[in-house]
Amino acid sequence: MEIGIGLFGLGTVGSGVVKILQDNAEQITKRTGAHLVVKQAVVRNLAKQRTGFRQNFPITDDPNDILANPAIQIVVEVMGSIDQAYTIIKQALTAKKHVVTANKDLIASRGQELVAIAEANGVDLFFEAAVAGGIPILRTLSTSFTADEISRVAGIINGTSNFILTQMATNHLSYHAALKLAQEKGFAESDPTNDVDGFDAAYKLIILANFAFGIQPVMSDLTIQGITGLTDADIADANSFGYALKLLGVAQRVGETKDAISIEVSPQLVPFTHPLATVNNENNAVLVNGESVGEVMLYGPGAGEMPTANSVLSDLTNVATDLALNTPGRPFNSFNQNIDLAKPSQRIARRFIVIEVDDTPGAMYSVTGMFAAAKISFTDLKQTPAANGIARLVALTHPASDAQINLIRTTIRNADGINLAAEYKLFS
Amino acid sequence: MEIGIGLFGLGTVGSGVVKILQDNAEQITKRTGAHLVVKQAVVRNLAKQRTGFRQNFPITDDPNDILANPAIQIVVEVMGSIDQAYTIIKQALTAKKHVVTANKDLIASRGQELVAIAEANGVDLFFEAAVAGGIPILRTLSTSFTADEISRVAGIINGTSNFILTQMATNHLSYHAALKLAQEKGFAESDPTNDVDGFDAAYKLIILANFAFGIQPVMSDLTIQGITGLTDADIADANSFGYALKLLGVAQRVGETKDAISIEVSPQLVPFTHPLATVNNENNAVLVNGESVGEVMLYGPGAGEMPTANSVLSDLTNVATDLALNTPGRPFNSFNQNIDLAKPSQRIARRFIVIEVDDTPGAMYSVTGMFAAAKISFTDLKQTPAANGIARLVALTHPASDAQINLIRTTIRNADGINLAAEYKLFS
Ligand SMILES: NC(=O)c1ccc[n+]([C@@H]2O[C@H](COP(=O)([O-])OP(=O)(O)OC[C@H]3O[C@@H](n4cnc5c(N)ncnc54)[C@H](OP(=O)(O)O)[C@@H]3O)[C@@H](O)[C@H]2O)c1
Ligand SMILES: NC(=O)c1ccc[n+]([C@@H]2O[C@H](COP(=O)([O-])OP(=O)(O)OC[C@H]3O[C@@H](n4cnc5c(N)ncnc54)[C@H](OP(=O)(O)O)[C@@H]3O)[C@@H](O)[C@H]2O)c1
């Protein structure tokens, strides 16, 4: 059986897809029974040189060359953007073509609409590559934890930020030097906002939370904090307490009866002994905690041409299987339920807190008074010698809620000579 | 739709399965559309008290109560043993019942026969729980790497050995003290042979190699070395060079054209910076290297009542899906090919070598001469002060083949006053 593929996009991921389809054609046919053949690619700039793969298919800039081509059964959307990609995927699904996409922004924002359109048209819509590049986390969540109650899904799901934090920690680079290195190595774009401010991780976390809990969060449901405010001193202090500082996406059940979900992207302190702490540089990892299974982690490359293309291929071979068995049209994740979002008082964790305070008599007394008033108590405390008349106080606290932290933030903001320089959760 | 389940075995795994089916019944029905109901359990000893789960099904000791029961569509075999389990599973498959088993010994030894019987009868045969307990590695290999060429599958796949090695390394216990602790904690059986001699890992590696490479190795194809000969001095020396000592199962393509497969279970030195080095105590991890995907690792609990039961449940829900779609009868892994086994000369790795030598003039000269003759050269060398007139020489070598190592072993065996106390590969 021959299956025709139409590619939107021949950039990093698109050319990787072409390479695998060409290099591993024999194996793919042997294992799926299908010949997967690229029939057409659509790009933006026809003048661009395309190298690195044999090109035995036409390239155009007209979406209709794919959408109206009856020889194409599967559309692979690896061009990016939300609106244009939405329109194209919707048209493809409506034309009863299966769709594979790597577009996290789109799936996080309008995935549910597209899933409904796919179902209505009896076609597949898969997007394994949209979360954590080469790591097969979505298919795993949808096939291997169906009978378990997941309590948390958490991960290092932005390779750019993790590269920067790793370089800051191990090579003692400043944030800006580490960002520059990431850009030189191709791990960060010239405008890194999407990565370092946590938005990219937030998109992926929305998709993970949907698969793990059946909920459909939107961006405004998430607390999002990036890594731009993070200093090498914060990292050194976290390390000295036995923790790595990592940008995490965490979606978890909270509350006495575990009936609310907290979703946030933020830098957190991870104990050196925890497997997440060992995930370095551009690598990603997703941790799943289930009532039955306990703690499982999937680790691997979070991006890159070939790993990401491999995830697209895993979707393609699964469409091929569905075609062979005549079973397409089932949603990638068919799990839907309503769970409330957590209130700040339900989001409880130990904290790492850095306070800068004028080095005057009684200053420390007033700081500790503020924390006592917010009922936040310390487990570890470290004061380093004052520089420029300012003392740096680093503390780990007992569990405290976001509500308590909001209170202390307000108190400190209204006080003179004291500044809350950093506040991060401890992951456990 | 109600699906009737018959359980062979109500021990650790069996009672975990009952608990999940009872506790998560609503969620399972919601997500699979099926009511999974235990109709019958068969055990060995009817007199035994069964606690920890509500028992609303009959228990007998007659296999026919399951095999001849038309209300049972799925047989779960979690009783262990090879011959009896083979007979029962064969009968079940022939009676057109789907089978889920956790029995690694059986699947490694006679899996192919059973797969053929399942296919011929159009029923499912799944065994996710047989490898690495709660880690969903088999389903991942069969659905997410179909289009990739896997070059290596390797892992820490015996929790007992890993617990012992972790305790030796971190708490400086002797092998025997660590084994005793493992037994007290329920991580090792009173007769630990199967685990510490590497056989349990070998069974799992055979199944992993089948899924990764489509080959069907038998036990005698494997090089198997356990951890009983390993000393705390070996571990300390490995650590001092920057490596952890781990019992690994490794199946990989070797040779110039990567056209041969080496399969072995042995203690190996893993760099502290490698994710496998951070897998401690009873945990397991499986590493997959693919030409496209690069390096992916799945980490989690390698055994235990609930994690293992969760893997059985993932198989059950997949049978339920196949029943709903009318698509059962496809082998769990349908990938078959012939690849030669590697020759000793193709099995090349750096080595960690410990030599005990009489502390006499010229002894070191004669040792280095032996290695020079075998064309094995050192990268690191450490001699510790002689105790009882015996010097301990610890070395890391440049890459050397098993053929070269066999040669040096023979040379040393035939020489006086020198003993090859340890020889382990470096994993990279
Ligand atoms: N790169 C990764 O590692 C990675 C990992 C996971 C997910 N993703 C996702 O995969 C998608 C593609 O990423 P990428 O890195 O491959 O991007 P890229 O290298 O920038 O390539 C984008 C491709 O799409 C084409 N294109 C862009 N807009 C188009 C339009 N309006 N109409 C037709 N073609 C258009 C471009 O054409 P020209 O070649 O003519 O410019 C180019 O070939 C994105 O959604 C991204 O988030 C990427
Ligand atoms: N335990 C783990 O963590 C784990 C992990 C992965 C795979 N597995 C595999 O799962 C299987 C079960 O392990 P387990 O730890 O649950 O074993 P277990 O605790 O020893 O339980 C075995 C059960 O099978 C029953 N049984 C034994 N022989 C039988 C026979 N001939 N006929 C009928 N019933 C029989 C026993 O009956 P009685 O109760 O009357 O004695 C018992 O209920 C094994 O294949 C094992 O390798 C176990």
Side-chain angles (χ1 to χ4, degrees):
Chain A
M1 177 177 57
E2 181 178 286
I3 300 178
I5 292 173
L7 274 176
F8 282 94
L10 270 180
T12 305
V13 182
S15 46
V17 170
V18 174
K19 281 181 208 167
I20 300 181
L21 283 173
Q22 290 180 345
D23 294 351
N24 298 359
E26 203 183 324
Q27 170 173 342
I28 294 168
T29 301
K30 196 165 156 197
R31 297 190 66 173
T32 64
H35 295 274
L36 301 180
V37 181
V38 179
K39 294 281 179 188
Q40 176 79 53
V42 170
V43 299
R44 192 171 26 193
N45 178 1
L46 278 176
K48 209 183 270 183
Q49 268 307 108
R50 317 273 165 188
T51 51
F53 52 86
R54 295 190 305 286
Q55 184 217 311
N56 45 14
F57 49 84
I59 300 179
T60 68
D61 57 5
D62 180 1
N64 267 323
D65 287 349
I66 287 178
L67 296 170
N69 184 342
I72 291 176
Q73 284 95 26
I74 312 180
V75 166
V76 175
E77 185 278 301
V78 283
M79 58 181 236
S81 89
I82 296 190
D83 291 343
Q84 285 175 305
Y86 176 85
T87 307
I88 282 169
I89 292 179
K90 183 176 173 175
Q91 286 176 322
L93 296 170
T94 311
K96 304 218 183 302
K97 296 186 193 300
H98 310 276
V99 173
V100 172
T101 172
N103 194 328
K104 59 209 110 176
D105 318 33
L106 171 62
I107 294 297
S109 323
R110 310 188 66 177
Q112 295 307 319
E113 297 171 51
L114 292 174
V115 164
I117 298 171
E119 256 193 291
N121 286 281
V123 291
D124 284 337
L125 171 62
F126 295 144
F127 39 88
E128 180 67 83
V131 178
I135 304 177
I137 182 64
L138 298 184
R139 194 153 273 114
T140 301
L141 282 170
S142 77
T143 60
S144 296
F145 298 107
T146 312
D148 202 359
E149 169 126 35
I150 294 179
S151 55
R152 180 174 70 184
V153 56
I156 293 172
I157 47 181
N158 181 265
T160 308
S161 307
N162 200 48
F163 180 85
I164 292 172
L165 294 182
T166 305
Q167 291 300 320
M168 290 174 73
T170 55
N171 295 332
H172 307 290
L173 300 186
S174 70
Y175 171 77
H176 288 287
L179 170 59
K180 193 156 164 281
L181 183 64
Q183 285 167 329
E184 282 164 17
K185 289 194 168 252
F187 295 143
E189 297 177 41
S190 51
D191 175 1
T193 314
N194 204 30
D195 292 313
V196 297
D197 281 349
F199 299 124
D200 176 79
Y203 284 132
K204 295 169 186 165
L205 186 60
I206 284 177
I207 301 173
L208 286 173
N210 178 250
F211 275 63
F213 302 110
I215 56 173
Q216 299 174 16
V218 296
M219 277 300 247
S220 57
D221 293 334
L222 275 69
T223 305
I224 304 173
Q225 187 188 358
I227 61 163
T228 51
L230 222 144
T231 68
D232 31 357
D234 297 341
I235 293 180
D237 282 323
N239 291 352
S240 78
F241 284 128
Y243 296 84
L245 245 175
K246 295 288 186 187
L247 182 70
L248 299 186
V250 182
Q252 63 184 330
R253 287 180 174 272
V254 297
E256 299 249 313
T257 55
K258 304 279 172 212
D259 59 351
I261 301 254
S262 157
I263 321 181
E264 76 178 281
V265 172
S266 59
Q268 298 205 20
L269 277 75
V270 181
F272 281 137
T273 51
H274 192 282
L276 275 180
T278 65
V279 177
N280 283 325
N281 288 319
E282 72 278 17
N283 289 303
N284 281 18
V286 179
L287 192 78
V288 181
N289 290 80
E291 298 299 336
S292 302
V293 79
E295 187 155 277
V296 168
M297 188 177 88
L298 279 73
Y299 162 96
E305 177 183 6
M306 300 311 283
T308 309
N310 185 62
S311 285
V312 171
L313 261 293
S314 76
D315 286 347
L316 286 174
T317 54
N318 276 281
V319 176
T321 303
D322 276 346
L323 285 172
L325 297 172
N326 199 17
T327 55
R330 292 170 300 134
F332 201 0
N333 166 43
S334 58
F335 179 33
N336 283 301
Q337 61 185 0
N338 287 320
I339 313 183
D340 285 341
L341 286 180
K343 295 185 256 306
S345 61
Q346 293 177 303
R347 295 153 64 115
I348 297 169
R350 294 184 62 201
R351 314 280 165 153
F352 168 87
I353 284 175
V354 180
I355 289 161
E356 291 162 349
V357 56
D358 287 356
D359 196 15
T360 52
M364 215 48 85
Y365 177 66
S366 95
V367 169
T368 51
M370 291 172 189
F371 279 86
K375 296 198 166 54
I376 301 172
S377 58
F378 303 130
T379 59
D380 298 76
L381 202 60
K382 193 169 83 172
Q383 185 183 343
T384 45
N388 309 318
I390 304 213
R392 179 177 167 94
L393 192 74
V394 185
L396 300 184
T397 77
H398 280 291
S401 72
D402 279 10
Q404 286 170 283
I405 295 294
N406 291 341
L407 180 62
I408 199 86
R409 281 187 181 278
T410 310
T411 311
I412 291 179
R413 202 177 304 121
N414 294 331
D416 283 335
I418 166 168
N419 173 37
L420 184 60
E423 179 271 309
Y424 303 120
K425 290 189 165 109
L426 268 60
F427 184 82
S428 62
Chain B
M1 177 177 56
E2 182 178 287
I3 301 177
I5 294 173
L7 274 177
F8 282 94
L10 270 179
T12 306
V13 183
S15 46
V17 170
V18 174
K19 281 181 210 169
I20 300 181
L21 283 173
Q22 291 180 343
D23 294 350
N24 298 358
E26 203 183 325
Q27 170 174 346
I28 295 169
T29 303
K30 196 165 155 197
R31 296 190 64 172
T32 63
H35 295 274
L36 302 180
V37 180
V38 178
K39 294 280 178 189
Q40 176 79 51
V42 169
V43 299
R44 192 171 29 193
N45 179 0
L46 278 177
K48 209 184 270 183
Q49 267 306 108
R50 317 274 164 188
T51 51
F53 51 87
R54 296 189 303 286
Q55 185 217 310
N56 46 14
F57 50 84
I59 300 180
T60 67
D61 57 5
D62 179 0
N64 266 324
D65 287 350
I66 287 178
L67 296 170
N69 185 342
I72 291 177
Q73 284 95 27
I74 312 180
V75 165
V76 175
E77 184 279 300
V78 283
M79 58 181 235
S81 90
I82 296 189
D83 291 342
Q84 286 175 305
Y86 176 85
T87 307
I88 281 169
I89 291 179
K90 183 176 172 174
Q91 287 175 322
L93 295 171
T94 311
K96 305 218 184 299
K97 294 185 195 301
H98 310 276
V99 172
V100 172
T101 172
N103 193 328
K104 61 209 109 177
D105 318 34
L106 172 61
I107 294 297
S109 322
R110 310 188 66 177
Q112 296 306 317
E113 297 171 50
L114 292 174
V115 164
I117 299 171
E119 256 192 291
N121 286 281
V123 291
D124 284 338
L125 171 62
F126 294 144
F127 38 88
E128 180 66 83
V131 178
I135 303 177
I137 182 64
L138 298 184
R139 195 153 273 115
T140 300
L141 283 171
S142 77
T143 59
S144 295
F145 298 107
T146 311
D148 202 359
E149 169 126 38
I150 295 179
S151 54
R152 180 174 71 185
V153 56
I156 294 172
I157 46 181
N158 181 265
T160 308
S161 307
N162 200 48
F163 179 85
I164 292 172
L165 294 182
T166 305
Q167 291 300 320
M168 289 174 73
T170 56
N171 295 333
H172 307 290
L173 301 186
S174 69
Y175 171 78
H176 289 287
L179 170 59
K180 193 156 164 280
L181 183 64
Q183 285 166 330
E184 282 164 18
K185 289 194 168 251
F187 296 142
E189 297 177 40
S190 51
D191 175 2
T193 314
N194 204 30
D195 292 314
V196 298
D197 282 349
F199 300 124
D200 176 78
Y203 284 132
K204 295 169 185 165
L205 186 59
I206 284 176
I207 302 173
L208 286 173
N210 178 251
F211 276 62
F213 302 111
I215 57 173
Q216 299 175 15
V218 296
M219 277 302 245
S220 57
D221 292 335
L222 275 69
T223 306
I224 305 173
Q225 186 188 356
I227 61 163
T228 51
L230 221 144
T231 69
D232 31 356
D234 296 341
I235 293 180
D237 283 323
N239 291 352
S240 78
F241 284 128
Y243 296 84
L245 244 176
K246 295 288 186 187
L247 182 69
L248 299 187
V250 182
Q252 63 185 330
R253 287 181 174 272
V254 296
E256 299 250 314
T257 54
K258 303 279 173 210
D259 59 350
I261 302 256
S262 158
I263 320 181
E264 75 178 281
V265 172
S266 58
Q268 297 205 21
L269 276 75
V270 181
F272 280 138
T273 51
H274 192 281
L276 276 179
T278 65
V279 177
N280 283 325
N281 288 318
E282 73 278 18
N283 289 304
N284 281 19
V286 180
L287 193 77
V288 181
N289 290 80
E291 298 299 336
S292 302
V293 79
E295 188 155 277
V296 167
M297 187 177 90
L298 278 73
Y299 163 96
E305 176 183 7
M306 301 311 283
T308 310
N310 185 62
S311 285
V312 171
L313 260 294
S314 76
D315 285 347
L316 286 174
T317 54
N318 277 279
V319 176
T321 303
D322 275 347
L323 286 171
L325 298 173
N326 200 17
T327 55
R330 293 170 298 135
F332 201 0
N333 166 43
S334 58
F335 178 33
N336 282 300
Q337 60 185 2
N338 287 321
I339 313 183
D340 285 342
L341 286 180
K343 294 185 257 305
S345 61
Q346 293 177 304
R347 296 154 64 114
I348 297 170
R350 294 185 62 201
R351 315 279 166 152
F352 167 87
I353 284 174
V354 180
I355 289 162
E356 291 161 351
V357 56
D358 287 355
D359 196 14
T360 53
M364 214 48 88
Y365 177 67
S366 95
V367 168
T368 50
M370 291 172 188
F371 279 85
K375 295 197 165 57
I376 301 173
S377 58
F378 302 131
T379 59
D380 298 76
L381 202 61
K382 191 168 83 171
Q383 185 183 342
T384 45
N388 310 318
I390 304 212
R392 178 178 168 93
L393 191 74
V394 185
L396 300 184
T397 76
H398 280 293
S401 72
D402 279 9
Q404 287 171 283
I405 295 294
N406 291 342
L407 180 61
I408 198 87
R409 279 187 182 280
T410 310
T411 311
I412 292 178
R413 202 177 305 118
N414 293 332
D416 282 338
I418 166 168
N419 173 37
L420 184 60
E423 180 271 308
Y424 303 120
K425 289 189 166 111
L426 268 60
F427 184 82
S428 63

